[in-house]
């Protein structure tokens, strides 16, 4: 008696299945939404690139993935062996904590008291060690103290690796993709890009894409009052202690190149509050401090923006971690009256 081969036996061997996406595959491809209520479209259009939709909640997921995966590919980082050490005001720490946990790397984050307690708690939940430093007695800033502590750890911890977000080209390179996503989501190139500057990774990556593609996009860099990124502070800025983390820096980032921005604007902490609260009231977007600065910069620039222009604002994170500051009436009142 002959037995017919079963259907399974006659079927061709299945092709190897592509790897299913893991959580890190959800980094990027963030939504670009219209801000038609805050900026009436009859004059010009404004779109917001909402980076809070990254799995770690901020734009820094892109930079963290780019820096860590490059170091893994070169063997500078070895899973189960290496310890990543980084200075971060919060968002990069969360992003690195997620990446390091995923790739079985130890992580020590050096932060300062401006870091939102929720950020610290999230870093610890992912298994990171968190150290908090005080202001540098000379400059009154936190960054010099953070960098000093990172250097000490690099000397004392075996297998320590410093991504160095302020100088790492792979931080900037991650944002070629950010700008590509913006470009591809719109019918044409935007006329203006408003981007917050901290390490200047986002600014440089977006500006490099714009230059490489020959786009006519004008780039407005949004810095913080008191920051030194684009030059020494004016006399009136001295003594302005920034309390809202994210944009602005107390050092000139080695990543910065001349000519990346067509214009630089410096915003105060109160501008951050103004922008955030406008986004919330008009657009129902609960955004972070630097998003408020970017939005306030756009509101201020509105009279000079040409009729029919398309503007894009990058909103680096969400407002959940600013509930005790920007979205707290008592904090705003105690700070600004
Ligand atoms: N906004 C927020 C909330 C951030 O965390 C950062 C990164 N420190 C920035 C803006 C600045 O981005 P970049 O470091 O790419 O200049």
């Amino acid at each position: 008696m002959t037995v017919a081969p079963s259907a399974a036996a006659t079927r061709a061997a299945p092709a190897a299945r592509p790897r299913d996406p893991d959580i890190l595959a959800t980094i990027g491809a963030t939504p670009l939404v219209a801000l038609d209520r805050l900026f009436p479209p009859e004059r010009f259009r404004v779109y917001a690139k909402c980076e809070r939709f990254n799995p770690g909640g901020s734009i820094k997921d892109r930079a963290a993935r780019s820096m860590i995966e490059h170091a893994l590919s070169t063997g500078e980082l070895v899973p189960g062996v290496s310890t990543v050490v980084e200075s971060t005001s919060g968002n990069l720490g969360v992003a690195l904590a997620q990446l390091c946990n995923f790739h079985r790397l130890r992580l020590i984050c050096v932060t300062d008291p401006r870091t939102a307690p929720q950020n610290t708690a999230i870093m610890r939940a992912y298994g990171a060690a968190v150290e908090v430093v005080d202001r540098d007695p000379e400059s009154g800033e936190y960054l010099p103290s953070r960098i000093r502590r990172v250097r000490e750890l690099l000397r004392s911890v075996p297998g320590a690796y410093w991504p160095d977000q302020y100088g790492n080209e792979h931080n900037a390179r991650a944002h070629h993709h950010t700008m590509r996503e913006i470009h591809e989501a719109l019918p044409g190139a935007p006329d203006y890009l408003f981007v917050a500057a901290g390490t200047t990774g986002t600014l440089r990556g977006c500006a490099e894409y714009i230059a490489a593609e020959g786009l006519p996009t004008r780039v407005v860099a949004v810095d913080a009052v008191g920051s030194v990124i684009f030059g020494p502070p004016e006399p009136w800025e001295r003594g302005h202690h920034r309390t809202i983390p994210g944009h602005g820096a107390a050092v000139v980032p080695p990543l910065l190149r001349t000519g990346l921005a067509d214009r630089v604007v410096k915003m105060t902490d109160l501008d951050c509050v103004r922008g955030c609260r406008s986004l919330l009231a008009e657009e129902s977007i609960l955004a972070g401090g630097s998003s408020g600065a970017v939005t306030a910069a756009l509101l201020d620039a509105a009279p000079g923006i040409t009729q029919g222009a398309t503007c894009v604002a990058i909103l680096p994170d969400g407002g959940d971690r600013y509930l005790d500051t920007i979205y707290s009436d008592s904090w705003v009142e105690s700070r600004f009256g």
Side-chain angles (χ1 to χ4, degrees), residues 7-285:
T10 52
R11 228 183 279 137
R17 229 175 79 151
R19 238 182 84 198
D20 286 323
D22 53 45
I23 190 66
L24 302 185
T26 68
I27 296 174
T30 50
L32 190 67
V33 304
L35 302 186
D36 285 357
R37 296 181 179 202
L38 190 52
F39 299 96
E42 299 75 42
R43 277 268 289 115
F44 53 83
R45 300 296 305 270
V46 177
Y47 296 91
K49 182 77 168 156
C50 299
E51 291 296 308
R52 69 171 302 164
F53 285 88
N54 286 298
S58 88
I59 195 164
K60 298 306 279 197
D61 279 9
R62 296 176 186 264
R65 180 176 61 182
S66 176
M67 295 188 293
I68 294 300
E69 292 188 351
H70 175 75
L72 284 167
S73 75
T74 59
E76 286 168 283
L77 279 177
V78 179
V81 174
S82 310
T83 298
V84 174
V85 177
E86 184 57 292
S87 152
T88 159
S89 67
N91 281 331
L92 184 73
V94 169
L96 283 175
Q98 171 190 243
L99 260 287
C100 288
N101 183 61
F102 190 92
H103 288 297
R104 305 282 174 258
L105 298 160
R106 286 185 59 220
L107 172 64
I108 305 174
C109 282
V110 181
T111 67
D112 64 52
R114 296 183 310 167
T115 303
Q118 296 97 316
N119 273 354
T120 307
I122 294 167
M123 289 180 230
R124 292 201 168 117
Y126 277 115
V130 181
E131 290 199 11
V132 185
V133 301
D134 232 328
R135 283 187 202 279
D136 171 52
E138 235 170 74
S139 61
E141 288 281 353
Y142 291 110
L143 191 60
S145 306
R146 294 205 318 230
I147 300 299
R148 210 166 24 245
R149 183 63 190 140
V150 165
R151 290 192 192 285
E152 283 168 13
L153 288 165
L154 289 174
R155 281 193 299 270
S156 60
V157 176
Y161 170 81
W162 182 24
D164 186 12
Q165 59 164 332
Y166 283 84
N168 190 325
E169 301 274 323
H170 294 277
N171 169 7
R173 231 169 266 179
H175 299 290
H176 295 173
H177 205 77
T178 311
M179 191 62 213
R180 178 185 299 281
E181 289 173 16
I182 291 169
H183 186 203
E184 290 179 353
L186 293 169
D191 298 293
Y192 296 93
L193 176 74
F194 283 70
V195 51
T199 65
T200 67
T202 314
L203 169 67
R204 179 163 155 196
C206 290
E208 281 176 348
Y209 176 90
I210 288 166
E213 296 290 316
L215 307 185
T217 311
R218 292 173 62 79
V219 178
V220 180
V222 180
D223 194 6
V225 168
S227 160
V228 306
I229 296 177
F230 300 98
E234 302 287 330
W236 64 270
E237 294 178 58
R238 299 223 175 93
H240 182 95
H241 280 304
R242 296 175 288 119
T243 48
I244 295 178
H247 59 308
V251 294
V252 180
L255 277 181
L256 183 67
R257 298 288 176 272
T258 49
L260 295 177
D262 296 285
R263 223 179 121 208
V264 175
V265 293
K266 286 183 143 184
M267 311 306 282
T268 63
D269 283 1
L270 189 55
D271 290 322
C272 298
V273 173
R274 172 165 65 98
C276 281
R277 293 202 172 208
S278 303
L279 274 174
L280 188 62
E282 300 296 331
E283 300 285 354
S284 223
I285 295 176

